[in-house]
Amino acid sequence: MPNIVALHELTTEQMQKIRDIAPDYELIAGKYKELPSGTVAQADIVLGWTSSATEEVLSDHSRIRWIQVWSAGVDRMPLKELEQKNIFLTNASGVHSIPITEQIFSMLLAYTRNLHHAVRQQSQSKWDKSGTFRELSGKTAVIVGVGQIGSTTAKVAKAFGMRTVGVRRSGKPDPNVDVMYTVDQLDQALAEGDFIINILPLTDETKGLYDAGRFEAMKDGAFFVNMGRGPSVNTEALIEALKSGHLAGAGLDVFEQEPLPSEHPLWGMDNVIITPHTAGDTVHYTDRVLDIFIENLKAYRQGEALPRNVIDYGKAY
């Protein structure tokens, strides 16, 4: 009997949804380290991923044909080896659109309405009305990496009365983006932004993308948000741009080094808002991943091409 191995905790109801679609498959669920040795290698489909399973997945006796990962990013996976074994790889792109968009705007609003300072004052029981109170309306948001998350972010930005500028490899228009640039035009786009929002995945091309030159290309007083990947930003260059005042502030959810060391200078900067890589977290996460998985599972069982979120190994996303 073919089987599906789920490496994430599923409720009874969630497991039943999978069984309803694939009653001829055995469903095995459990944390990788708790499963009998060789369980993953004998799976036809793996739901979830852990680096601990890499050796087993890539072994000569592995029969895996498809892996559905829990994340949007796949940069930490052995993509070259998975491609060589002709394993389909699908990600969780689209699951994060709502929570990450809301996290982006929580940072933008905290900055513009001075809430980050108010929270610090509250912890000290201080009534302090000082600070600059800005507005989002009429400002320009530059969204670097217009996929599903970027499009949702642009839609919300328009609701706030903002002008939207997008950057994507294809340059394909988006109904929520006023002006779209290609990656080759990144510096031109950055120069227009009051708010720069990075949502790019990590690839060879995006690693270290935001260096001193890129921060210099941004307009004076811009606010930088990173919801993509930490290694896409040269942290020292970011700190220098913040210290010099060229950047007014930053909202950061991802970092080159995680967890961010307690002695790191970013912690002590009043114009920086930090969250511990939680932007994509939501109580609805598993249900949304399963929606993707089940739609693909229906096609897989019919011998059809997987319709959603198939990773292009050549692009690494």
Side-chain angles (χ1 to χ4, degrees):
M1 174 183 287
N3 63 58
I4 300 168
V5 174
L7 301 178
H8 285 269
E9 184 177 347
L10 301 174
T11 65
T12 300
E13 182 181 355
Q14 290 165 343
M15 293 176 70
Q16 189 58 48
K17 286 182 178 180
I18 296 174
R19 292 190 176 105
D20 288 344
I21 298 301
D24 52 334
Y25 278 68
E26 180 184 9
L27 176 58
I28 303 168
K31 295 181 179 179
Y32 176 70
K33 293 182 179 179
E34 298 172 355
L35 295 173
S37 177
T39 300
V40 170
Q42 291 306 303
D44 296 272
I45 302 169
V46 176
L47 178 55
W49 174 256
T50 171
S51 60
S52 300
T54 301
E55 184 176 350
E56 190 172 339
V57 168
L58 300 179
S59 65
D60 291 339
H61 59 276
S62 171
R63 72 182 198 190
I64 297 169
R65 298 298 304 124
W66 168 28
I67 299 173
Q68 166 70 58
V69 297
W70 229 247
S71 62
V74 295
D75 49 274
R76 296 180 181 179
M77 297 183 69
L79 300 181
K80 182 178 180 180
E81 292 82 358
L82 292 174
E83 181 181 21
Q84 289 173 343
K85 292 185 72 67
N86 296 314
I87 295 174
F88 295 116
L89 180 62
T90 53
N91 70 355
S93 179
V95 169
H96 310 83
S97 296
I98 293 174
I100 290 183
T101 295
E102 292 185 1
Q103 185 103 343
I104 288 169
F105 279 91
S106 70
M107 290 189 167
L108 298 191
L109 291 167
Y111 165 70
T112 56
R113 302 310 303 160
N114 215 29
L115 297 182
H116 55 313
H117 290 304
V119 170
R120 293 184 178 108
Q121 298 305 321
Q122 180 180 348
S123 66
Q124 302 176 52
S125 303
K126 286 187 177 180
W127 184 273
D128 184 354
K129 299 176 69 173
S130 63
T132 302
F133 294 84
R134 303 169 177 84
E135 297 178 355
L136 295 179
S137 180
K139 300 299 190 296
T140 295
V142 175
I143 302 163
V144 186
V146 181
Q148 294 184 61
I149 298 171
S151 182
T152 303
T153 298
K155 182 178 180 180
V156 175
K158 298 299 290 182
F160 273 100
M162 303 180 77
R163 174 175 176 264
T164 54
V165 173
V167 180
R168 67 188 342 172
R169 174 181 285 187
S170 67
K172 181 182 177 181
D174 182 282
N176 301 307
V177 175
D178 295 319
V179 179
M180 186 71 76
Y181 290 104
T182 63
V183 175
D184 292 341
Q185 300 170 302
L186 177 59
D187 286 351
Q188 183 179 345
L190 295 178
E192 298 185 26
D194 298 293
F195 299 93
I196 309 296
I197 302 164
N198 177 59
I199 323 177
L200 286 171
L202 185 63
T203 66
D204 290 341
E205 290 77 19
T206 63
K207 188 173 184 179
L209 180 69
Y210 293 93
D211 55 15
R214 285 277 145 65
F215 288 117
E216 186 176 343
M218 298 178 191
K219 67 191 298 185
D220 283 335
F223 185 84
F224 177 71
V225 175
N226 190 12
M227 294 286 162
R229 284 292 183 264
S232 64
V233 174
N234 181 309
T235 306
E236 292 305 314
L238 171 60
I239 291 173
E240 184 56 38
L242 290 165
K243 284 183 175 179
S244 70
H246 180 60
L247 290 184
L252 308 172
D253 185 61
V254 291
F255 305 87
E256 282 190 279
Q257 182 180 356
E258 294 184 5
L260 189 67
S262 58
E263 70 278 6
H264 200 283
L266 283 171
W267 286 115
M269 302 184 79
D270 288 342
N271 57 345
V272 175
I273 302 170
I274 291 173
T275 51
H277 205 147
T278 55
D281 293 356
T282 169
V283 294
H284 304 294
Y285 201 102
T286 299
D287 285 333
R288 289 173 181 164
V289 174
L290 285 184
D291 286 343
I292 296 169
F293 178 68
I294 287 173
E295 183 177 342
N296 279 334
L297 182 59
K298 291 177 181 177
Y300 183 85
R301 294 187 68 253
Q302 297 297 322
E304 300 171 357
L306 303 183
R308 293 185 65 182
N309 293 22
V310 179
I311 295 298
D312 182 331
Y313 284 113
K315 297 178 179 178
Y317 64 85

